[in-house]
Amino acid sequence: MQTIDLRELEKLNTLRLSIRRSMSQGEGLRRSSAKGRSAEFSGYREYVPGDDMRYVDWNAYARFDKMYIKEFMEEKEGRVNIYLDTSRSMDFGEKLKSTLMAELTEAISYIATTGRDSVYVTDLSSPTSTFKVPNGNQGVGNLKRWLEGIQPKASISLKDSLKRAVKGRGGVAFVISDFMDEEFLGAESEILRLFGYHGMKVNLLHVMSREELEIEEDGAFQLIDSENENKEIRLTLDRYSIRDYKKNLENYERQIEEKAKAAGAGYVLCSTGERLHKLIFEDMRFMFEM
């Protein structure tokens, strides 16, 4: 996937993610509600590659042959999880939807790591494999290379992949997708409850191409399903079918947004026709602190 350069990211230096739920371990820039200077032990969570090895409980490892991280309740990093829909439908548009997805991932990660929050990015085509973004400019470079190495796959079940991918406790999560999974709308409430169970505040970033949102041309078209190349669709569009398409698309977007809001989740429609600066500073403004 294509990415953006560091100079664009540095324009985001004034922002910090709004993370109010339970935090992960580490000395970050956020302070929990616990009193006193000494860190208070709060529990364990399963080790994720990239975690600070100083917090591994080696006694637990010796007993269970599995690595666990000790968590504390004093001064902490916020935990940020980003889940990427890398299905082939994201490779559409003059500016690819996958390009905007990569830009949003870099922007959110830069804002979070600048505030010394922990960032974990998951390609939902490999839901059990998570990339831990290092802090600083080195982390930005590593994330860029990781994103550039991703090639969108045929199809992904968001429901099944997120069930396997979501783990840990607390923090904020972002699901970046065009939500063109036919099962998504029926499973959305279940998916959102899954994040709630893990104590995460989740935001759905609905990425659509400018061409999908602003279709104007009429005529006869032969289309190929981007997630099934053997499936061809012959379609004739006139002003009435275009009107119906827009109405159905708006209804679908509204249903996703309403279910998200009912579950206390955030929702933003992100068009490839909008500048990243506008999306971050205006459309997604409620997710950040100045």
Side-chain angles (χ1 to χ4, degrees):
M1 296 191 291
Q2 295 182 21
T3 56
I4 53 180
D5 61 39
L6 181 59
R7 288 172 296 180
E8 286 297 309
L9 293 175
E10 287 173 345
K11 297 176 182 178
L12 308 175
N13 277 334
T14 59
L15 298 178
R16 293 289 181 273
L17 280 169
S18 179
I19 305 178
R20 296 187 176 87
R21 300 206 181 190
S22 60
M23 305 295 181
S24 66
Q25 59 81 23
E27 292 184 357
L29 298 184
R30 305 175 189 274
R31 186 172 294 276
S32 75
S33 58
K35 298 180 180 179
R37 292 286 299 174
S38 59
E40 180 183 344
F41 174 72
S42 65
Y44 295 93
R45 65 171 172 79
E46 200 168 317
Y47 171 82
V48 174
D51 281 336
D52 192 329
M53 298 297 290
R54 293 176 300 171
Y55 297 95
V56 172
D57 187 317
W58 296 109
N59 290 329
Y61 177 73
R63 291 178 60 195
F64 303 110
D65 196 26
K66 202 168 188 179
M67 294 174 71
Y68 291 92
I69 294 291
K70 290 184 284 188
E71 295 189 296
F72 300 90
M73 286 294 295
E74 176 54 24
E75 203 167 60
K76 303 183 177 187
E77 304 167 332
R79 182 182 175 96
V80 180
N81 295 283
I82 305 174
Y83 302 95
L84 306 181
D85 175 1
T86 56
S87 56
R88 193 170 293 160
S89 65
M90 296 295 287
D91 257 359
F92 178 79
E94 182 178 355
K95 176 179 178 177
L96 299 177
K97 290 184 280 187
S98 60
T99 297
L100 178 55
M101 178 169 65
E103 292 176 350
L104 290 166
T105 301
E106 285 185 274
I108 293 167
S109 298
Y110 180 82
I111 293 167
T113 55
T114 299
R116 294 179 63 192
D117 294 326
S118 296
V119 181
Y120 301 83
V121 187
T122 303
D123 172 357
L124 288 174
S125 69
S126 303
T128 59
S129 177
T130 299
F131 177 76
K132 170 72 162 58
V133 182
N135 288 332
N137 290 345
Q138 177 188 359
V140 174
N142 289 350
L143 176 61
K144 285 173 67 69
R145 287 188 290 274
W146 186 80
L147 289 169
E148 288 166 356
I150 292 177
Q151 295 296 325
K153 313 300 188 298
S155 63
I156 291 174
S157 166
L158 290 177
K159 175 184 174 181
D160 294 342
S161 293
L162 285 168
K163 276 187 171 181
R164 296 175 64 195
V166 176
K167 52 191 171 184
R169 293 293 301 174
V172 63
F174 296 86
V175 180
I176 309 180
S177 172
D178 59 5
F179 298 114
M180 292 207 171
D181 178 354
E182 293 180 359
E183 298 178 347
F184 174 76
L185 197 59
E188 183 181 0
S189 296
E190 181 182 353
I191 292 170
L192 294 172
R193 284 196 299 271
L194 173 66
F195 284 102
Y197 174 79
H198 285 270
M200 297 180 190
K201 166 69 176 179
V202 62
N203 297 294
L204 306 182
L205 303 186
H206 191 173
V207 174
M208 297 288 285
S209 71
R210 179 184 57 80
E211 293 86 350
E212 289 168 325
L213 293 170
E214 301 174 11
I215 185 170
E216 298 293 346
E217 296 182 6
D218 55 12
F221 299 87
Q222 180 169 311
L223 307 178
I224 297 176
D225 187 332
S226 62
E227 299 191 4
N228 182 355
E229 294 181 349
N230 296 318
K231 183 178 178 182
E232 293 188 358
I233 302 171
R234 296 183 183 276
L235 182 66
T236 300
L237 295 180
D238 56 26
R239 61 175 179 162
Y240 300 108
S241 55
I242 291 174
R243 180 194 62 193
D244 290 343
Y245 163 81
K246 289 183 175 180
K247 182 178 180 180
N248 290 332
L249 179 61
E250 290 170 359
N251 184 54
Y252 184 64
E253 293 163 1
R254 184 171 60 254
Q255 289 182 70
I256 295 175
E257 182 176 16
E258 287 175 353
K259 287 191 175 184
K261 288 184 175 178
Y267 172 89
V268 176
L269 178 63
C270 303
S271 168
T272 61
E274 294 286 359
R275 294 183 303 113
L276 181 65
H277 188 277
K278 177 186 180 297
L279 289 173
I280 296 292
F281 281 92
E282 296 182 26
D283 300 350
M284 295 169 59
R285 179 69 188 82
F286 66 93
M287 303 177 188
F288 305 105
E289 302 169 350
M290 293 295 288

